[in-house]
């Protein structure tokens, strides 16, 4: 095997970065055997930090109403094929209760940008969850809001916020979103969230239309700039009722390689093996973990609504009860020598 790769990865491990050309080279020229070596380095770093423990987050998709019209997303407002739903406070609490019984200690409330969920309503929901489950962490994933809104939700008890930046390149962003959506504002939101003391997750899709290798290299630099506590990445998957219906899906190999590089650069970062990865390959979650991921986010949403939260086609685990899902995941983890833990799983990345 090429010693240059070993040297580059050793540098990456030591300094947390490489030159653009070097990243470009790794993303384009590495062969199977070299990728395997990178993967092993990444996994061994993750093992040093987290051992064989995998953190679980219970995902509650509480609304598929969205005012945005992202070209890639199945729940974009122009998609009239979607039957829209939102969960009320009791239904959300019911998901939490079920999740709690199954050992989840983080709940992720994710939804489209739904103006029904005002600060008043969200604050009430957050406070209620915190009263019922004081030892659990709450992660919000509600998209872009105003700084004051983020502040109120934080004060109500939210601990973390996931807001993928989607792409680090503003020009590329403009090809994935309508003109009224702004890359600058999204980035600003990430900085506000950090300032307000949230544990922050950003992230991007791999293989979105028009993405270049240089864009992916930019991603790695962007992550250095933001230094998030969590990085959510997954392959782009096309959805039949979006403008990107004819576009091809992101690559499994590229997604896994990026997971490994991110682990090597950000040793303690929380890195989920996403549902999109599991959708792309039936062993996607296992492969993600073996490439350096340490978080899984199974679905706790009521089965009756799950199909309506379709961001991309073919999404897995649509019919499994939370309990079934939990067992299936544990078996998958065991098959590769890992296990889940009943913990909040806070980030050790310094804020
Ligand atoms: N409204 C929230 C949640 C968005 S859904 C927000 O704006 O943050 C969560 C993530 O799913 C998105 O950030 C996006 O990265 C991902 N996603 C959406 N459509 C996708 C697709 N077609 N393929 C893969 N991932 C997709």
């Amino acid at each position: 095997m090429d010693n240059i790769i070993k040297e580059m990865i050793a540098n990456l491990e030591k300094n947390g970065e490489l030159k653009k050309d070097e990243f470009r080279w790794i993303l384009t020229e590495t062969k199977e055997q070299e990728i395997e070596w990178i993967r092993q380095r990444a996994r061994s770093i993750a093992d040093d930090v987290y051992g064989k423990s995998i953190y679980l987050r219970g995902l509650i998709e509480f609304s598929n109403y969205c005012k945005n019209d992202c070209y890639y997303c199945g729940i974009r407002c122009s998609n009239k094929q979607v039957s829209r739903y939102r969960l009320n406070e009791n239904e959300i609490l019911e998901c939490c209760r079920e999740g709690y019984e199954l050992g989840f200690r983080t709940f992720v409330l994710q939804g489209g940008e739904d103006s029904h969920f005002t600060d008043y309503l969200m604050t009430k929901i957050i406070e209620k969850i915190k009263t019922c489950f004081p030892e659990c962490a709450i992660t919000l994933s509600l998209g872009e809001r105003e700084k004051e809104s983020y502040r109120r939700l934080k004060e109500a008890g939210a601990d973390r916020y996931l807001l993928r930046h989607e792409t680090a390149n503003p020009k590329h962003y403009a090809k994935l979103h309508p003109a009224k959506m702004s890359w600058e504002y999204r980035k600003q939101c990430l900085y506000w969230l950090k300032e307000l003391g949230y544990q922050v997750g950003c992230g991007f899709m791999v293989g979105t239309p028009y993405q270049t290798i240089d864009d992916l290299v930019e991603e790695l630099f962007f992550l250095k700039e933001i230094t998030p506590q969590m990085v959510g990445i997954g392959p782009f998957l096309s959805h039949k009722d979006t403008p990107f219906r004819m576009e091809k899906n992101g690559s499994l190999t590229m997604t896994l390689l990026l997971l490994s590089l991110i682990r090597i650069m950000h040793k303690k970062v929380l890195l989920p093996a996403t549902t999109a990865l599991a959708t792309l390959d039936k062993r996607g979650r296992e492969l993600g973990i073996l490439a350096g991921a340490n978080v899984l986010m199974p679905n706790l949403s009521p089965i009756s609504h799950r199909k309506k939260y379709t961001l991309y086609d073919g999404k897995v685990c649509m019919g499994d009860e939370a309990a079934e899902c939990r067992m299936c995941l544990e078996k998958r983890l065991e098959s590769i020598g890992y296990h889940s833990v009943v913990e909040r799983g806070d980030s050790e990345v310094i804020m």
Side-chain angles (χ1 to χ4, degrees), residues 72-73 110-111 143 163-164 166 186 205 235-237 311-312:
Y72 46 84
C73 184
Q110 186 178 85
L163 184 74
R164 290 189 179 179
E166 314 298 359
R186 207 161 174 90
M205 287 173 282
F236 159 75
L237 300 173
L311 309 178
Y312 42 79

Side-chain angles (χ1 to χ4, degrees), residues 121-138:
L121 201 53
M122 276 320 298
T123 306
K124 270 186 40 193
I125 293 169
I126 293 165
E127 284 168 354
K128 197 71 197 274
I129 297 177
K130 280 288 177 173
T131 311
C132 297
F133 309 99
E135 75 269 44
C136 294
I138 299 181

Side-chain angles (χ1 to χ4, degrees), residues 236-346:
F236 159 75
L237 300 173
S238 77
H239 185 293
K240 63 181 178 11
D241 302 315
T242 65
F244 289 165
R245 63 178 68 83
M246 304 297 279
E247 302 291 338
K248 66 174 198 302
N249 290 342
S251 133
L252 177 69
T253 309
M254 185 57 95
T255 308
L256 295 173
L257 176 58
L258 285 160
L259 281 173
S260 296
L261 293 174
I262 295 169
R263 170 61 67 207
I264 294 170
M265 295 172 73
H266 305 265
K267 299 184 178 45
K268 293 182 171 177
V269 83
L270 297 163
L271 202 54
T274 57
T275 308
L277 191 57
T279 300
L280 188 61
D281 186 289
K282 58 181 187 307
R283 285 191 72 235
R285 290 204 189 87
E286 292 91 314
L287 295 174
I289 287 167
L290 292 171
N294 75 311
V295 175
L296 290 175
M297 296 172 62
N299 205 319
L300 291 179
S301 317
I303 290 185
S304 53
H305 291 307
R306 266 192 223 172
K307 282 206 171 61
K308 303 175 200 157
Y309 199 87
T310 306
L311 309 178
Y312 42 79
D313 292 334
K315 190 172 162 198
V316 290
C317 307
M318 294 298 239
D320 291 352
E321 294 284 354
E324 261 174 80
C325 211
R326 182 73 192 76
M327 287 208 325
C328 161
L329 279 187
E330 206 58 46
K331 278 201 209 119
R332 285 170 183 272
L333 288 177
E334 271 170 25
S335 76
I336 52 169
Y338 289 79
H339 56 83
S340 67
V341 287
V342 181
E343 275 177 39
R344 275 171 56 120
D346 283 294

